[in-house]
């Protein structure tokens, strides 16, 4: 699998991503992005078609999204470049929902709730198999909750099952 970003993923990152401390323009919400994706699909277009200025106003009208917001989001190429450079330096990869290696089962099970972007570290191919997701409370009982979580995660790893966590700390970590 390739760690280079496709043009579709670059466009989705521009539309939905947050880069550093720049909060001047709100990224698209999941609902807005889904509306835009449906419109693009109906027009036989792809997210990367929005990188061409002449498509932005038509897409904004078709998806009922503010054209200024779309132009502002898609004009953040420099910020995206710096963010991607830092992610790659730290071993972080990104897959967009329109990428060939985006897990098909996410789309099948989650439908419109499948995330437009998936960020990760490690072997991307593991996304296509199963695994155990660890999601927990920030107020977990250290004696029992953390012990059980560590024991379960170790058993999974020793058995060859991927362990997926959100990285939020406490039980997740």
């Amino acid at each position: 699998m390739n760690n280079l970003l496709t043009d579709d993923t670059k466009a989705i990152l521009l539309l939905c991503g947050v880069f550093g401390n720049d909060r001047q323009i709100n990224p698209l919400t999941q609902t807005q992005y889904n509306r835009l994706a449906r419109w693009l699909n109906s027009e036989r277009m792809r997210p990367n078609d929005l990188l061409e200025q002449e498509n932005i106003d038509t897409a904004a009208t078709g998806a009922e999204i503010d054209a200024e917001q779309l132009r502002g989001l898609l004009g953040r190429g420099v910020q995206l470049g710096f963010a991607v450079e830092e992610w790659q330096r730290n071993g972080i990869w990104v897959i967009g929902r329109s990428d060939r290696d985006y897990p098909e089962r996410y789309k099948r099970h989650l439908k419109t709730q499948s995330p437009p972007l998936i960020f990760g570290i490690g072997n991307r191919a593991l996304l296509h198999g199963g695994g155990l997701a660890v999601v927990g409370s920030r107020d977990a009982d250290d004696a029992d909750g953390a012990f059980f979580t560590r024991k379960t995660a170790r058993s999974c790893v020793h058995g060859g099952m991927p362990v997926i966590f959100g990285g939020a700390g406490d039980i997740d970590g």
Side-chain angles (χ1 to χ4, degrees):
M1 284 188 201
N2 187 338
N3 281 339
L4 296 177
L5 296 180
T6 65
D7 287 341
D8 281 341
T9 296
K10 289 175 189 172
I12 297 169
L13 276 163
L14 289 168
L15 294 166
C16 301
V18 175
F19 314 122
N21 295 325
D22 184 15
R23 304 285 191 273
Q24 292 177 343
I25 304 169
N26 289 327
L28 297 184
T29 64
Q30 177 102 13
T31 302
Q32 288 175 308
Y33 180 73
N34 286 339
R35 225 176 24 239
L36 181 59
R38 276 192 302 275
W39 182 84
L40 287 168
N41 192 41
S42 74
E43 298 296 312
R44 291 188 162 50
M45 294 174 74
R46 302 197 50 83
N48 74 57
D49 290 318
L50 295 175
L51 299 174
E52 298 174 25
Q53 290 290 319
E54 63 269 13
N55 293 328
I56 295 174
D57 287 334
T58 308
T61 302
E64 298 176 7
I65 296 172
D66 181 61
E68 285 302 312
Q69 181 185 16
L70 273 187
R71 271 194 288 287
L73 291 169
L74 292 164
R76 303 180 304 156
V78 172
Q79 293 98 318
L80 175 61
F82 285 124
V84 168
E85 186 177 307
E86 183 172 337
W87 297 336
Q88 289 177 340
R89 212 175 23 251
N90 290 301
I92 299 169
W93 46 257
V94 184
I95 299 174
R97 193 161 73 187
S98 64
D99 286 346
R100 185 172 293 138
D101 57 344
Y102 189 96
E104 199 55 47
R105 66 191 173 105
Y106 287 20
K107 294 180 194 178
R108 193 172 46 253
H109 292 295
L110 298 172
K111 299 185 181 9
T112 61
Q113 294 306 307
S114 60
L117 298 163
I118 300 173
F119 293 79
I121 296 175
N123 184 352
R124 292 163 50 145
L126 294 175
L127 287 173
H128 299 284
L132 172 73
V134 177
V135 180
S137 170
R138 297 194 191 285
D139 302 322
D141 179 322
D142 275 335
D144 295 325
F147 173 78
F148 176 78
T149 303
R150 275 192 294 279
K151 186 175 179 180
T152 302
R154 281 190 188 112
S155 295
C156 289
V157 170
H158 289 298
M161 177 183 283
V163 177
I164 303 140
F165 71 101
D170 293 329
I171 283 295
D172 288 20

